[in-house]
């Protein structure tokens, strides 16, 4: 999984224009709203949230995805930096494979906050979810696949805490 994520980062995702990555994130936002009941029922099933709360989380999460999709080009555009030494610019470059360890209490909201800005920036991610929300995790990953993200751009990892610690150490 790490090798696939790294290959996707180097060969595909980081080479896409910001606007192309943003389109995929925007598509994910639209799909999430279209499939709101499916996402909400999973959160209710796995967490015991009331369905109205789950629907609210789905709507909020989709709005976060849409926000980054709509603003990624502006956020990531090079900007001139005032300098007495000559021309200078601030530029943004992706880092590579990121690992996210997520809590159980907001399975979509936490993911949207992590995934949207980092995917827009050209990073790819491995995401370890809390063990109590595996169906929410699978649904969120499938959302990005359906939206057009390449394999390895967003990958769930179902690991123990010790295993994810070893994975983090591999990336140091």
């Amino acid at each position: 999984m790490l090798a696939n994520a790294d290959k996707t980062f180097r060969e595909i995702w980081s080479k896409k224009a910001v606007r192309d990555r943003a389109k995929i994130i925007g598509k994910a936002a639209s799909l999430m709203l279209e499939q709101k009941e499916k996402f909400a029922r999973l959160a209710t099933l796995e967490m015991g949230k009331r369905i109205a709360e789950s629907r609210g989380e789905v709507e909020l999460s989709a709005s976060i995805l849409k926000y980054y999709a709509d603003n990624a080009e502006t956020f990531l555009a090079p900007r001139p930096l005032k300098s007495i030494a000559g021309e200078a610019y601030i530029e943004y470059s992706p880092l590579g494979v990121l690992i996210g360890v997520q809590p159980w209490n907001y399975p979509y909201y936490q993911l949207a906050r992590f995934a949207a800005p980092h995917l827009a920036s050209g990073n790819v991610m491995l995401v370890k979810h809390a063990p109590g929300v595996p169906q929410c995790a699978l649904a969120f990953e499938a959302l990005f696949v359906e939206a057009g993200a390449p394999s390895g751009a967003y990958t769930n990892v179902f690991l123990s805490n010790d295993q994810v610690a070893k994975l983090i150490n591999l990336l140091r």
Side-chain angles (χ1 to χ4, degrees):
M1 82 188 108
L2 178 56
N4 184 48
D6 186 60
K7 182 176 180 180
T8 299
F9 168 73
R10 293 183 191 286
E11 296 179 7
I12 302 169
W13 196 247
S14 67
K15 296 189 181 315
K16 283 188 177 292
V18 173
R19 81 178 69 76
D20 295 332
R21 295 188 302 251
K23 284 180 189 174
I24 291 170
I25 296 165
K27 177 74 172 170
S30 297
L31 289 168
M32 192 170 206
L33 288 176
E34 289 170 16
Q35 300 170 30
K36 177 170 62 173
E37 283 304 306
K38 176 186 89 170
F39 282 96
R41 286 187 179 152
L42 288 175
T44 293
L45 173 71
E46 292 188 325
M47 300 182 60
K49 280 186 177 189
R50 293 181 298 170
I51 193 70
E53 292 171 341
S54 296
R55 287 180 187 124
E57 182 179 345
V58 171
E59 290 169 358
L60 176 60
S61 301
S63 73
I64 292 167
L65 295 173
K66 183 171 178 1
Y67 174 79
Y68 282 99
D70 290 348
N71 293 290
E73 285 188 274
T74 301
F75 291 160
L76 298 169
R79 289 184 219 148
L81 183 64
K82 291 182 183 179
S83 172
I84 59 171
E87 288 188 35
Y89 294 88
I90 296 175
E91 292 188 354
Y92 298 92
S93 298
L95 299 171
V97 179
L98 305 179
I99 299 174
V101 178
Q102 301 298 318
W104 64 273
N105 55 339
Y106 293 98
Y108 305 127
Y109 169 71
Q110 297 289 2
L111 295 175
R113 287 182 42 212
F114 177 63
H118 292 299
L119 287 172
S121 298
N123 299 304
V124 301
M125 56 198 56
L126 302 174
V127 182
K128 183 222 179 282
H129 302 272
V133 290
Q135 293 179 82
C136 292
L138 291 169
F140 202 80
E141 180 179 33
L143 174 71
F144 281 100
V145 171
E146 187 177 352
S151 171
Y154 181 101
T155 306
N156 290 320
V157 293
F158 295 97
L159 303 173
S160 69
N161 291 340
D162 289 340
Q163 289 169 322
V164 83
K166 289 176 184 173
L167 179 60
I168 290 168
N169 285 330
L170 286 174
L171 295 175
R172 286 186 183 189

